[in-house]
Amino acid sequence: YIAQGKVRTHKKMVNFPFLTPGKVVIILQGRFAGKKAIIVKTFEGTYERRFGHALVAGIERAPLKVTKSMDQKKILKRSKCKPFVKFVNLRHIMPTRYSVDIDVKSVLKASDMAPAKSKERKELKKNLKELFNKRYLQKPGSNPGIKFFYEKLRF
């Protein structure tokens, strides 16, 4: 915000029209820096967070590589991923050109992310893990964003 005498006013919010639900982004700051995530919902600003932010669901630990010679049990074990859910400042995410068709909204709601609801949050992450694992085991089809989302970011 800009100080004008003793009265402080907030800067006008910058509009990010390209940050739409389903867009794959890379987290730039914090514990999950360098991890890929999917935007679930964007917010202009709320009472708790007075800045533009987004609810994202991402992969903390990506699935490992599998080969044809591995048996089915080993493939299932190596195909698991660990998800995370977080509110992120819009300035701390970098959009990619990819979008995915994973319906995260069916599992995740912004109201479940309240700090007092730790049991709901655990259940939410469990459901999200099932959703991500199920989608990973399906073929990516014609969507290149799926393949990109599940690969570990190399930098």
Side-chain angles (χ1 to χ4, degrees):
Y1 42 80
I2 303 166
Q4 294 177 344
K6 292 186 179 184
V7 179
R8 290 184 169 184
T9 59
H10 286 281
K11 281 186 183 177
K12 182 117 173 92
M13 267 280 305
V14 179
N15 194 11
F16 296 100
F18 47 85
L19 295 177
T20 56
K23 177 70 87 173
V24 178
V25 295
I26 297 171
I27 309 292
L28 300 176
Q29 296 287 327
R31 177 180 167 193
F32 301 109
K35 304 295 181 191
K36 295 174 190 171
I38 302 170
I39 293 180
V40 179
K41 188 175 180 182
T42 55
F43 302 90
E44 285 286 318
T46 59
Y47 183 74
E48 296 89 20
R49 297 174 182 85
R50 296 175 188 261
F51 48 85
H53 58 281
L55 177 61
V56 297
I59 295 181
E60 187 176 344
R61 188 171 53 238
L64 299 170
K65 191 174 180 179
V66 295
T67 61
K68 285 183 179 179
S69 62
M70 293 180 186
D71 62 330
Q72 193 63 31
K73 187 177 175 184
K74 190 166 188 177
I75 289 173
L76 286 173
K77 188 173 174 76
R78 291 178 68 92
S79 298
K80 290 183 180 171
C81 60
K82 184 178 179 185
F84 70 88
V85 181
K86 188 176 168 77
F87 283 106
V88 183
N89 190 331
L90 292 180
R91 297 184 186 278
H92 298 163
I93 55 179
M94 183 174 74
T96 63
R97 62 183 174 166
Y98 299 107
S99 292
V100 293
D101 55 358
I102 300 173
D103 188 27
V104 183
K105 276 191 175 180
S106 63
V107 177
L108 185 61
K109 291 172 184 56
S111 59
D112 293 340
M113 292 294 295
K117 296 185 174 183
S118 62
K119 286 184 181 177
E120 285 91 342
R121 214 176 224 203
K122 283 183 181 178
E123 190 67 31
L124 184 132
K125 281 179 76 172
K126 190 175 171 183
N127 294 339
L128 195 61
K129 183 176 182 173
E130 286 176 17
L131 180 72
F132 281 170
N133 288 339
K134 190 173 88 175
R135 183 61 181 100
Y136 179 72
L137 291 171
Q138 292 174 356
K139 298 288 182 205
S142 62
N143 190 345
I146 295 293
K147 187 172 185 249
F148 174 77
F149 179 64
Y150 284 107
E151 284 177 353
K152 187 178 178 183
L153 189 66
R154 303 284 179 192
F155 62 94

Short mmCIF file of all heavy atoms in Angstrom, two decimals, residues 93-133:
data_model
loop_
_atom_site.label_atom_id
_atom_site.label_comp_id
_atom_site.label_asym_id
_atom_site.label_seq_id
_atom_site.Cartn_x
_atom_site.Cartn_y
_atom_site.Cartn_z
N ILE A 93 3.76 -17.52 -7.76
CA ILE A 93 3.56 -18.65 -8.65
C ILE A 93 3.91 -18.24 -10.09
O ILE A 93 3.74 -17.09 -10.47
CB ILE A 93 2.13 -19.23 -8.60
CG1 ILE A 93 1.07 -18.16 -8.88
CG2 ILE A 93 1.87 -19.91 -7.29
CD1 ILE A 93 -0.34 -18.69 -8.85
N MET A 94 4.45 -19.19 -10.82
CA MET A 94 4.79 -18.95 -12.23
C MET A 94 3.93 -19.85 -13.10
O MET A 94 4.01 -21.08 -12.98
CB MET A 94 6.27 -19.25 -12.47
CG MET A 94 6.71 -18.96 -13.89
SD MET A 94 8.47 -19.16 -14.11
CE MET A 94 8.60 -20.94 -14.10
N PRO A 95 3.09 -19.27 -13.94
CA PRO A 95 2.23 -20.11 -14.78
C PRO A 95 3.02 -20.80 -15.88
O PRO A 95 4.05 -20.31 -16.33
CB PRO A 95 1.22 -19.11 -15.37
CG PRO A 95 1.92 -17.81 -15.33
CD PRO A 95 2.85 -17.85 -14.15
N THR A 96 2.56 -21.96 -16.27
CA THR A 96 3.15 -22.67 -17.41
C THR A 96 2.14 -22.63 -18.54
O THR A 96 1.02 -22.13 -18.37
CB THR A 96 3.46 -24.13 -17.04
OG1 THR A 96 2.23 -24.79 -16.72
CG2 THR A 96 4.41 -24.22 -15.85
N ARG A 97 2.52 -23.15 -19.68
CA ARG A 97 1.59 -23.15 -20.81
C ARG A 97 0.60 -24.29 -20.74
O ARG A 97 -0.27 -24.43 -21.58
CB ARG A 97 2.37 -23.21 -22.12
CG ARG A 97 3.18 -24.46 -22.28
CD ARG A 97 3.96 -24.42 -23.56
NE ARG A 97 4.86 -25.56 -23.65
CZ ARG A 97 5.45 -25.92 -24.77
NH1 ARG A 97 5.26 -25.22 -25.86
NH2 ARG A 97 6.25 -26.95 -24.78
N TYR A 98 0.71 -25.16 -19.74
CA TYR A 98 -0.10 -26.37 -19.67
C TYR A 98 -1.34 -26.19 -18.79
O TYR A 98 -1.30 -25.48 -17.79
CB TYR A 98 0.72 -27.53 -19.12
CG TYR A 98 1.90 -27.87 -19.98
CD1 TYR A 98 3.20 -27.55 -19.59
CD2 TYR A 98 1.73 -28.51 -21.20
CE1 TYR A 98 4.28 -27.87 -20.38
CE2 TYR A 98 2.81 -28.84 -22.01
CZ TYR A 98 4.08 -28.51 -21.59
OH TYR A 98 5.15 -28.82 -22.38
N SER A 99 -2.39 -26.87 -19.18
CA SER A 99 -3.60 -27.01 -18.37
C SER A 99 -3.91 -28.49 -18.26
O SER A 99 -3.55 -29.26 -19.16
CB SER A 99 -4.78 -26.28 -19.01
OG SER A 99 -4.56 -24.90 -18.98
N VAL A 100 -4.57 -28.88 -17.19
CA VAL A 100 -4.90 -30.29 -17.01
C VAL A 100 -6.41 -30.46 -16.83
O VAL A 100 -7.11 -29.51 -16.48
CB VAL A 100 -4.16 -30.91 -15.80
CG1 VAL A 100 -2.68 -30.98 -16.06
CG2 VAL A 100 -4.43 -30.14 -14.53
N ASP A 101 -6.87 -31.67 -17.05
CA ASP A 101 -8.30 -31.96 -16.96
C ASP A 101 -8.65 -32.71 -15.67
O ASP A 101 -9.67 -33.36 -15.60
CB ASP A 101 -8.75 -32.76 -18.18
CG ASP A 101 -7.93 -34.03 -18.38
OD1 ASP A 101 -7.01 -34.27 -17.59
OD2 ASP A 101 -8.23 -34.78 -19.33
N ILE A 102 -7.79 -32.61 -14.66
CA ILE A 102 -8.07 -33.27 -13.38
C ILE A 102 -9.09 -32.43 -12.63
O ILE A 102 -8.89 -31.24 -12.42
CB ILE A 102 -6.78 -33.42 -12.55
CG1 ILE A 102 -5.75 -34.25 -13.32
CG2 ILE A 102 -7.08 -34.07 -11.20
CD1 ILE A 102 -4.39 -34.30 -12.66
N ASP A 103 -10.21 -33.05 -12.23
CA ASP A 103 -11.28 -32.32 -11.55
C ASP A 103 -10.99 -32.26 -10.06
O ASP A 103 -11.52 -33.04 -9.27
CB ASP A 103 -12.63 -32.99 -11.83
CG ASP A 103 -13.78 -32.17 -11.30
OD1 ASP A 103 -13.64 -30.94 -11.21
OD2 ASP A 103 -14.82 -32.76 -10.97
N VAL A 104 -10.16 -31.31 -9.67
CA VAL A 104 -9.77 -31.16 -8.26
C VAL A 104 -10.88 -30.53 -7.44
O VAL A 104 -11.01 -30.78 -6.24
CB VAL A 104 -8.46 -30.32 -8.16
CG1 VAL A 104 -7.99 -30.22 -6.74
CG2 VAL A 104 -7.38 -30.93 -9.02
N LYS A 105 -11.73 -29.72 -8.10
CA LYS A 105 -12.82 -29.04 -7.38
C LYS A 105 -13.80 -30.01 -6.74
O LYS A 105 -14.44 -29.68 -5.76
CB LYS A 105 -13.57 -28.11 -8.33
CG LYS A 105 -12.92 -26.77 -8.49
CD LYS A 105 -13.84 -25.82 -9.20
CE LYS A 105 -13.20 -24.44 -9.25
NZ LYS A 105 -14.05 -23.47 -9.92
N SER A 106 -13.93 -31.21 -7.32
CA SER A 106 -14.85 -32.20 -6.75
C SER A 106 -14.37 -32.68 -5.38
O SER A 106 -15.16 -33.09 -4.55
CB SER A 106 -15.00 -33.38 -7.70
OG SER A 106 -13.75 -34.05 -7.84
N VAL A 107 -13.06 -32.63 -5.14
CA VAL A 107 -12.48 -33.10 -3.88
C VAL A 107 -12.20 -31.95 -2.93
O VAL A 107 -12.37 -32.07 -1.72
CB VAL A 107 -11.15 -33.86 -4.17
CG1 VAL A 107 -10.48 -34.29 -2.90
CG2 VAL A 107 -11.40 -35.05 -5.06
N LEU A 108 -11.81 -30.81 -3.47
CA LEU A 108 -11.26 -29.71 -2.68
C LEU A 108 -12.18 -28.50 -2.68
O LEU A 108 -12.64 -28.05 -3.72
CB LEU A 108 -9.91 -29.33 -3.31
CG LEU A 108 -9.05 -28.31 -2.64
CD1 LEU A 108 -8.66 -28.76 -1.25
CD2 LEU A 108 -7.80 -28.07 -3.45
N LYS A 109 -12.42 -27.96 -1.48
CA LYS A 109 -13.19 -26.73 -1.32
C LYS A 109 -12.41 -25.77 -0.42
O LYS A 109 -11.73 -26.20 0.51
CB LYS A 109 -14.56 -27.03 -0.73
CG LYS A 109 -15.45 -27.79 -1.68
CD LYS A 109 -16.72 -28.25 -1.01
CE LYS A 109 -17.56 -29.09 -1.93
NZ LYS A 109 -16.90 -30.25 -2.47
N ALA A 110 -12.51 -24.49 -0.69
CA ALA A 110 -11.76 -23.48 0.07
C ALA A 110 -12.20 -23.46 1.54
O ALA A 110 -11.40 -23.18 2.43
CB ALA A 110 -11.95 -22.10 -0.54
N SER A 111 -13.45 -23.79 1.81
CA SER A 111 -13.95 -23.77 3.19
C SER A 111 -13.32 -24.87 4.05
O SER A 111 -13.23 -24.74 5.27
CB SER A 111 -15.47 -23.93 3.21
OG SER A 111 -15.84 -25.14 2.59
N ASP A 112 -12.83 -25.95 3.41
CA ASP A 112 -12.17 -27.03 4.16
C ASP A 112 -10.76 -26.67 4.59
O ASP A 112 -10.13 -27.42 5.33
CB ASP A 112 -12.11 -28.30 3.31
CG ASP A 112 -13.49 -28.88 3.04
OD1 ASP A 112 -14.42 -28.55 3.81
OD2 ASP A 112 -13.64 -29.64 2.08
N MET A 113 -10.25 -25.55 4.13
CA MET A 113 -8.87 -25.17 4.40
C MET A 113 -8.71 -24.31 5.65
O MET A 113 -7.65 -23.77 5.90
CB MET A 113 -8.29 -24.42 3.20
CG MET A 113 -8.12 -25.28 1.98
SD MET A 113 -6.90 -26.55 2.22
CE MET A 113 -5.44 -25.57 2.41
N ALA A 114 -9.76 -24.16 6.44
CA ALA A 114 -9.68 -23.38 7.67
C ALA A 114 -8.69 -24.02 8.64
O ALA A 114 -8.60 -25.25 8.71
CB ALA A 114 -11.06 -23.28 8.32
N PRO A 115 -7.90 -23.21 9.38
CA PRO A 115 -6.89 -23.78 10.28
C PRO A 115 -7.46 -24.71 11.36
O PRO A 115 -6.78 -25.63 11.79
CB PRO A 115 -6.26 -22.55 10.94
CG PRO A 115 -6.63 -21.40 10.09
CD PRO A 115 -7.89 -21.77 9.38
N ALA A 116 -8.70 -24.48 11.78
CA ALA A 116 -9.29 -25.29 12.84
C ALA A 116 -9.73 -26.68 12.35
O ALA A 116 -9.96 -27.57 13.14
CB ALA A 116 -10.48 -24.57 13.44
N LYS A 117 -9.81 -26.86 11.06
CA LYS A 117 -10.33 -28.11 10.50
C LYS A 117 -9.19 -29.03 10.06
O LYS A 117 -9.04 -29.34 8.89
CB LYS A 117 -11.23 -27.81 9.30
CG LYS A 117 -12.47 -27.03 9.66
CD LYS A 117 -13.35 -26.88 8.45
CE LYS A 117 -14.67 -26.22 8.81
NZ LYS A 117 -15.56 -26.14 7.67
N SER A 118 -8.39 -29.50 11.02
CA SER A 118 -7.24 -30.34 10.66
C SER A 118 -7.67 -31.75 10.22
O SER A 118 -7.04 -32.35 9.35
CB SER A 118 -6.26 -30.43 11.83
OG SER A 118 -6.88 -31.03 12.94
N LYS A 119 -8.75 -32.29 10.81
CA LYS A 119 -9.22 -33.62 10.41
C LYS A 119 -9.74 -33.60 8.98
O LYS A 119 -9.47 -34.52 8.21
CB LYS A 119 -10.32 -34.10 11.36
CG LYS A 119 -9.79 -34.53 12.71
CD LYS A 119 -10.86 -35.09 13.58
CE LYS A 119 -10.30 -35.51 14.93
NZ LYS A 119 -11.32 -36.00 15.83
N GLU A 120 -10.50 -32.54 8.64
CA GLU A 120 -11.01 -32.43 7.28
C GLU A 120 -9.87 -32.28 6.29
O GLU A 120 -9.92 -32.80 5.18
CB GLU A 120 -11.96 -31.23 7.15
CG GLU A 120 -13.32 -31.43 7.76
CD GLU A 120 -13.40 -31.00 9.21
OE1 GLU A 120 -12.34 -30.85 9.85
OE2 GLU A 120 -14.51 -30.82 9.70
N ARG A 121 -8.82 -31.56 6.70
CA ARG A 121 -7.66 -31.34 5.83
C ARG A 121 -6.93 -32.66 5.53
O ARG A 121 -6.51 -32.90 4.41
CB ARG A 121 -6.70 -30.36 6.50
CG ARG A 121 -5.99 -29.48 5.54
CD ARG A 121 -5.15 -28.49 6.29
NE ARG A 121 -5.33 -27.20 5.69
CZ ARG A 121 -4.48 -26.22 5.78
NH1 ARG A 121 -3.40 -26.35 6.51
NH2 ARG A 121 -4.69 -25.09 5.19
N LYS A 122 -6.79 -33.50 6.55
CA LYS A 122 -6.16 -34.81 6.36
C LYS A 122 -6.99 -35.68 5.41
O LYS A 122 -6.45 -36.34 4.53
CB LYS A 122 -5.98 -35.52 7.70
CG LYS A 122 -4.82 -35.00 8.51
CD LYS A 122 -4.64 -35.78 9.78
CE LYS A 122 -3.49 -35.22 10.59
NZ LYS A 122 -3.30 -35.90 11.86
N GLU A 123 -8.29 -35.66 5.61
CA GLU A 123 -9.19 -36.43 4.74
C GLU A 123 -9.13 -35.91 3.30
O GLU A 123 -9.12 -36.68 2.35
CB GLU A 123 -10.63 -36.33 5.28
CG GLU A 123 -11.61 -37.26 4.61
CD GLU A 123 -11.33 -38.72 4.91
OE1 GLU A 123 -10.83 -39.05 5.98
OE2 GLU A 123 -11.62 -39.55 4.00
N LEU A 124 -9.05 -34.59 3.18
CA LEU A 124 -8.97 -33.94 1.88
C LEU A 124 -7.70 -34.36 1.14
O LEU A 124 -7.74 -34.70 -0.04
CB LEU A 124 -8.99 -32.43 2.10
CG LEU A 124 -9.01 -31.53 0.91
CD1 LEU A 124 -10.11 -30.50 1.15
CD2 LEU A 124 -7.70 -30.82 0.78
N LYS A 125 -6.56 -34.37 1.85
CA LYS A 125 -5.29 -34.77 1.24
C LYS A 125 -5.32 -36.24 0.83
O LYS A 125 -4.76 -36.63 -0.20
CB LYS A 125 -4.12 -34.50 2.18
CG LYS A 125 -3.71 -33.04 2.20
CD LYS A 125 -2.58 -32.78 3.14
CE LYS A 125 -1.28 -33.23 2.59
NZ LYS A 125 -0.12 -32.83 3.38
N LYS A 126 -5.99 -37.07 1.62
CA LYS A 126 -6.11 -38.49 1.31
C LYS A 126 -6.92 -38.69 0.03
O LYS A 126 -6.53 -39.46 -0.85
CB LYS A 126 -6.81 -39.18 2.49
CG LYS A 126 -6.82 -40.68 2.45
CD LYS A 126 -7.44 -41.20 3.72
CE LYS A 126 -7.69 -42.68 3.66
NZ LYS A 126 -8.36 -43.17 4.86
N ASN A 127 -8.03 -37.95 -0.10
CA ASN A 127 -8.86 -38.03 -1.31
C ASN A 127 -8.11 -37.49 -2.53
O ASN A 127 -8.23 -38.03 -3.63
CB ASN A 127 -10.16 -37.26 -1.12
CG ASN A 127 -11.05 -37.88 -0.08
OD1 ASN A 127 -10.91 -39.05 0.25
ND2 ASN A 127 -11.95 -37.10 0.48
N LEU A 128 -7.33 -36.44 -2.31
CA LEU A 128 -6.55 -35.84 -3.39
C LEU A 128 -5.47 -36.80 -3.87
O LEU A 128 -5.20 -36.92 -5.06
CB LEU A 128 -5.93 -34.53 -2.90
CG LEU A 128 -5.37 -33.58 -3.94
CD1 LEU A 128 -6.48 -33.14 -4.88
CD2 LEU A 128 -4.75 -32.38 -3.28
N LYS A 129 -4.87 -37.53 -2.93
CA LYS A 129 -3.85 -38.52 -3.28
C LYS A 129 -4.46 -39.62 -4.16
O LYS A 129 -3.87 -40.02 -5.16
CB LYS A 129 -3.25 -39.12 -2.01
CG LYS A 129 -2.14 -40.11 -2.27
CD LYS A 129 -1.52 -40.59 -0.99
CE LYS A 129 -0.37 -41.53 -1.26
NZ LYS A 129 0.37 -41.91 -0.09
N GLU A 130 -5.64 -40.09 -3.79
CA GLU A 130 -6.34 -41.11 -4.59
C GLU A 130 -6.63 -40.59 -5.99
O GLU A 130 -6.43 -41.30 -6.97
CB GLU A 130 -7.66 -41.50 -3.91
CG GLU A 130 -7.50 -42.36 -2.69
CD GLU A 130 -8.83 -42.65 -2.02
OE1 GLU A 130 -9.89 -42.47 -2.65
OE2 GLU A 130 -8.80 -43.05 -0.84
N LEU A 131 -7.09 -39.33 -6.08
CA LEU A 131 -7.42 -38.73 -7.37
C LEU A 131 -6.17 -38.61 -8.24
O LEU A 131 -6.19 -38.99 -9.42
CB LEU A 131 -8.04 -37.35 -7.15
CG LEU A 131 -8.45 -36.59 -8.40
CD1 LEU A 131 -9.69 -37.24 -9.01
CD2 LEU A 131 -8.71 -35.14 -8.08
N PHE A 132 -5.07 -38.10 -7.68
CA PHE A 132 -3.83 -37.93 -8.43
C PHE A 132 -3.26 -39.29 -8.87
O PHE A 132 -2.81 -39.45 -10.00
CB PHE A 132 -2.79 -37.18 -7.61
CG PHE A 132 -2.99 -35.68 -7.57
CD1 PHE A 132 -2.25 -34.90 -6.70
CD2 PHE A 132 -3.90 -35.05 -8.39
CE1 PHE A 132 -2.42 -33.53 -6.66
CE2 PHE A 132 -4.09 -33.68 -8.36
CZ PHE A 132 -3.34 -32.91 -7.49
N ASN A 133 -3.29 -40.29 -7.98
CA ASN A 133 -2.77 -41.61 -8.31
C ASN A 133 -3.61 -42.27 -9.42
O ASN A 133 -3.07 -42.89 -10.33
CB ASN A 133 -2.73 -42.52 -7.09
CG ASN A 133 -1.63 -42.11 -6.12
OD1 ASN A 133 -0.69 -41.43 -6.49
ND2 ASN A 133 -1.78 -42.51 -4.88
#
